[in-house]
Amino acid sequence: MSTPYPFTAIVGQDDLRLGLLLNAVSPAVGGVLVRGEKGTAKSTAVRALAALMPQVAVVAGCRFSCDPGSPDPACPDGPHEAGGGVSRPARTVELPVGASEDRLVGALDIERALAEGVKAFEPGLLADAHRGILYVDEVNLLHDHLVDLLLDAAAMGASYVEREGVSVRHAARFLLVGTMNPEEGELRPQLLDRFGLTVEVAASRETDQRVEVVRRRLAYDDDPAAFAAKWAGEEAALRARIVAARALLPEVRLGDGALRQIAATCAAFEVDGMRADIVMARTATALAAWAGRTDVLAEDVRQAALLALPHRRRRNPFDAPGLDEDRLDDTLEQNSGSDDDDPDPDPDGPGGGGRPPQGDGDGSPETPEGDQPGEAEPEAGERQQAPAGSGGEQAAARAGEPFRTKTLSVPGLGEGAAGRRSRARTEHGRTTGARRPRGALTKLHLAATVQAAAPHQRARGRSGRGLVVRRDDLRQATREGREGNLVLFVVDASGSMAARQRMSAVKGAVLSLLLDAYQRRDKVGMVTFRGKDAELVLPPTSSVDAAAVRLETLPTGGRTPLSAGLLKAHDVLRVERLRDPSRRPLLVVVTDGRATGGPEPVALAARAARLHEVEGVASVVVDCESGPVRLGLAGELARELGGTAVTLDELRADSIAGLVKDVQETNRRAA
């Protein structure tokens, strides 16, 4: 077994270490989600935490880690007698992103269950993680069906395996720790809310700190055992502090004043539900115990808010997580003093909780909530745009308000990654037929299995009531569900699109489609064309908020090289087809259909469009033409692509009602 990197040897990352330690003190806090760029010690810190966790008493020989003091009466390995037991280190179980459902929840031997009536069950990762840590690296890339199983287990504290009327249940209470890089996509809101705390990590910009990180890592790689021995004293001291804080935790008093501050803070920041209040209360209590106190102070409540609320305030995937700390301080001050026994010291003063470190320790100013680095300039939408058709680059227009769009899907039946856009053969969904299993049986089609076994019962010497079933009789259920697609946007950013302030509406439409792609678990990419060429501004990714950032800063101006945009899209799809052949593309061209620049620009665009049509790429043209005179060029482009054309108005999910109103208004005027 390899020697883990010592937790106390991690340089900086104060919020990350505090979040993990609070969960070690009080697992009821509910786990922690670590968000940050790659190479910031996220995985290293989580794996190092296991060495600090107190030992766990378990029933000897129980595969489900039952507590000998109160064994689970429904344990598949039970019943167990109370008392006795052995101690072992707490486990850290890693859930791979590509794990199967059987690997997560366990596998039931269907053949033995049908033929012999025996529940032969092989435990999965949820059983291994019971009373320990379940660690999911790149948790935002976890497949939806695994997310659903995690949500069920986290909510009920148990895992259920149901296969054709045969069921197994076992306890599954674990500390859920996830790490993710936000550039690769966001989490589903349901799973995001299941994490008690969230911390943001980033590499330090301070030279001395970066030097120390490299020095320690090289020393560890040269001799892990010697490096761990050097930090053994600090590790032992930290382990002892965790044990002491756990022992003190039941004595910590959460006064009415602190409770009022918690409730007022959650109400002020408009978080959904009551889970945030409960998590804040548990976190503040753990902070007090960690500081060696038996009273929860205002500084504990403040620190708890900074850890428990940022990820619960997001209203859509484009919102940046975070809290307005000035508003937080005002709320705490307005609701202080209601409990005489609950002093409210200076939030920045010394104490066990205290204000968390901000930034990377390099003295750089904090970024206000909702702002991105480099946005100190005036808002893009407030700048004066250059006249349309001037040929030069024009200032980026602000995107209009997003709206709910019509469902755009790829025709046919695919076999891509699970999602919510187009029809596909999947492991989950409605049953459409049966086939012989390829490899391990996962979804039994009971009727087809019985039908296959029935003709052979006499030859197999059946004498009792049971059905004689053999391996060749088993049938796998084929199911139809939904898949995620690659939605490639080809956006016209030429000067003609900036005329009549259309670009704001166009960006709002693309932003709406991006939001739809996020909800349907698609990958997205973006090609823009203007001037003389086209550019891949966003390679295909699962991060729709990265696409939103590119869209917001997209400038306009110049000619309309439509053929260059379509050819660039063709190259992108060709490469992606090699990387992920099962993921079907959906091409969304956002343009008014004009083509200028170079010899025969319209003919070149038509030939480029036919390349996509020949390869069967599903396409939609969002017609951005406006004004009293319409040329219908976008419709012609859609025909060359073999796709469909929709106007900006028709793209809205409620556009049918709008069309009815237009017809009624036309009839009224005619009368």
Side-chain angles (χ1 to χ4, degrees):
M1 181 177 177
S2 60
T3 303
Y5 192 91
F7 190 88
T8 51
I10 296 173
V11 179
Q13 307 296 13
D14 296 331
D15 286 353
L16 169 60
R17 290 186 293 156
L18 179 61
L20 292 171
L21 289 171
L22 291 177
N23 276 276
V25 171
S26 176
V29 166
V32 59
L33 174 64
V34 186
R35 299 165 45 94
E37 59 197 30
K38 52 187 175 292
T40 49
K42 300 189 298 292
S43 300
T44 298
V46 175
R47 295 187 177 105
L49 178 67
L52 301 175
M53 298 288 284
Q55 296 235 332
V56 178
V58 299
V59 173
C62 177
R63 297 174 298 168
F64 301 89
S65 303
C66 280
D67 185 350
S70 56
D72 183 2
C75 177
D77 284 355
H80 305 299
E81 295 184 2
V86 295
S87 294
R88 61 160 176 79
R91 292 174 179 161
T92 295
V93 177
E94 295 193 31
L95 171 60
V97 169
S100 66
E101 179 179 332
D102 285 348
R103 184 71 186 99
L104 178 62
V105 301
L108 194 63
D109 191 329
I110 299 295
E111 186 175 357
R112 291 188 63 191
L114 287 177
E116 305 173 28
V118 176
K119 292 183 181 179
F121 181 68
E122 184 65 28
L125 296 177
L126 290 180
D128 294 341
H130 179 47
R131 305 177 66 203
I133 301 172
L134 181 63
Y135 171 47
V136 190
D137 193 14
E138 305 295 350
V139 64
N140 51 324
L141 303 182
L142 201 63
H143 287 172
D144 277 359
H145 68 282
L146 297 182
V147 170
D148 293 337
L149 294 170
L150 273 182
L151 288 172
D152 289 343
M156 297 184 293
S159 174
Y160 292 84
V161 181
E162 301 280 351
R163 296 288 169 82
E164 302 298 341
V166 181
S167 63
V168 173
R169 174 215 168 271
H170 65 82
R173 293 183 294 276
F174 46 81
L175 174 61
L176 182 60
V177 180
T179 57
M180 61 174 283
N181 184 347
E183 294 179 357
E184 297 172 343
E186 287 293 344
L187 274 179
R188 282 174 54 182
Q190 296 93 329
L191 183 57
L192 189 64
D193 190 52
R194 284 293 172 185
F195 287 98
L197 311 179
T198 184
V199 294
E200 297 278 343
V201 296
S204 173
R205 300 298 184 259
E206 185 178 331
T207 301
D208 291 342
Q209 198 170 74
R210 295 175 74 96
V211 167
E212 186 61 23
V213 169
V214 175
R215 181 181 290 117
R216 293 186 186 183
R217 186 69 209 191
L218 293 178
Y220 171 78
D221 291 341
D222 288 342
D223 192 343
F227 186 81
K230 177 181 177 182
W231 292 89
E234 286 82 352
E235 291 282 289
L238 188 58
R239 192 178 300 110
R241 185 177 176 185
I242 292 174
V243 172
R246 278 195 170 191
L248 183 62
L249 188 65
E251 302 176 21
V252 175
R253 188 179 73 90
L254 184 64
D256 290 342
L259 271 174
R260 181 170 293 278
Q261 287 183 319
I262 289 171
T265 300
C266 292
F269 286 99
E270 300 179 346
V271 296
D272 296 332
M274 295 297 299
R275 183 174 286 119
D277 303 63
I278 297 170
V279 171
M280 270 191 67
R282 290 171 174 166
T283 304
T285 303
L287 281 163
W290 181 245
R293 291 185 268 100
T294 56
D295 285 312
V296 173
L297 307 182
E299 63 189 80
D300 300 322
V301 175
R302 186 183 194 280
Q303 178 77 80
L306 292 170
L307 292 172
L309 296 188
H311 62 299
R312 292 185 166 89
R313 295 192 59 249
R314 297 184 58 148
R315 290 296 180 265
N316 65 63
F318 310 132
D319 292 340
L323 287 183
D324 184 339
E325 295 193 33
D326 291 336
R327 182 180 178 188
L328 173 61
D329 291 335
D330 290 342
T331 302
L332 294 176
E333 183 177 353
Q334 291 170 9
N335 291 274
S336 64
S338 58
D339 187 347
D340 294 336
D341 297 326
D342 188 10
D344 185 10
D346 180 4
D348 296 326
R355 182 168 179 155
Q358 302 296 322
D360 298 316
D362 59 353
S364 59
E366 297 179 13
T367 303
E369 182 192 8
D371 291 349
Q372 299 295 330
E375 287 188 352
E377 298 292 328
E379 296 292 352
E382 297 174 358
R383 301 171 186 162
Q384 182 67 34
Q385 291 195 346
S390 63
E393 181 174 309
Q394 302 171 31
R398 177 172 227 121
E401 285 297 319
F403 52 84
R404 190 165 62 90
T405 66
K406 285 183 175 179
T407 301
L408 307 178
S409 61
V410 178
L413 195 63
E415 295 183 346
R420 298 190 182 91
R421 183 172 296 279
S422 306
R423 293 174 55 219
R425 298 183 185 92
T426 61
E427 288 295 320
H428 302 268
R430 63 184 182 89
T431 301
T432 58
R435 60 171 174 81
R436 292 181 181 272
R438 304 186 191 101
L441 178 71
T442 56
K443 299 291 182 183
L444 178 74
H445 195 295
L446 182 58
T449 299
V450 172
Q451 187 176 7
H456 309 290
Q457 296 305 296
R458 181 175 296 179
R460 293 173 182 174
R462 173 185 172 187
S463 58
R465 298 176 59 186
L467 190 68
V468 181
V469 180
R470 294 181 179 173
R471 177 72 184 174
D472 291 342
D473 302 326
L474 299 179
R475 295 294 183 268
Q476 175 86 20
T478 57
R479 302 192 172 192
E480 182 179 311
R482 293 278 169 176
E483 68 177 359
N485 298 110
L486 167 59
V487 182
L488 181 62
F489 293 92
V490 181
V491 181
D492 185 347
S494 64
S496 65
M497 294 292 287
R500 305 182 187 92
Q501 303 297 321
R502 278 187 291 167
M503 203 59 195
S504 178
V506 169
K507 285 187 176 183
V510 177
L511 194 65
S512 303
L513 291 168
L514 285 172
L515 182 58
D516 181 69
Y518 164 78
Q519 294 168 341
R520 299 183 187 278
R521 312 300 287 174
D522 295 316
K523 290 181 69 174
V524 296
M526 187 179 298
V527 171
T528 64
F529 58 94
R530 67 186 182 93
K532 297 181 179 180
D533 206 354
E535 179 185 4
L536 177 62
V537 297
L538 182 72
T541 176
S542 297
S543 178
V544 295
D545 44 349
V549 171
R550 302 291 197 284
L551 180 71
E552 189 67 27
T553 58
L554 179 66
T556 58
R559 296 184 179 272
T560 313
L562 177 57
S563 60
L566 295 173
L567 290 174
K568 174 66 74 173
H570 182 267
D571 291 340
V572 172
L573 294 181
R574 177 179 55 80
V575 173
E576 287 303 308
R577 198 175 292 116
L578 296 174
R579 290 178 178 171
D580 190 357
S582 64
R583 188 181 288 270
R584 298 187 295 164
L586 175 62
L587 184 68
V588 179
V589 184
V590 185
T591 181
D592 57 9
R594 298 172 186 267
T596 61
E600 299 184 345
V602 176
L604 285 175
R607 286 200 291 270
R610 285 194 287 273
L611 288 176
H612 293 281
E613 193 271 337
V614 168
E615 295 183 356
V617 176
S619 58
V620 176
V621 178
V622 179
D623 185 358
C624 303
E625 193 174 24
S626 61
V629 179
R630 295 174 181 260
L631 302 178
L633 298 176
E636 294 180 11
L637 175 63
R639 285 189 289 274
E640 296 288 354
L641 286 166
T644 58
V646 296
T647 65
L648 288 174
D649 289 336
E650 292 170 347
L651 188 61
R652 294 177 178 269
D654 56 356
S655 63
I656 294 178
L659 290 174
V660 172
K661 291 179 180 178
D662 290 343
V663 171
Q664 291 175 340
E665 180 65 19
T666 301
N667 293 338
R668 186 186 65 81
R669 290 179 179 177

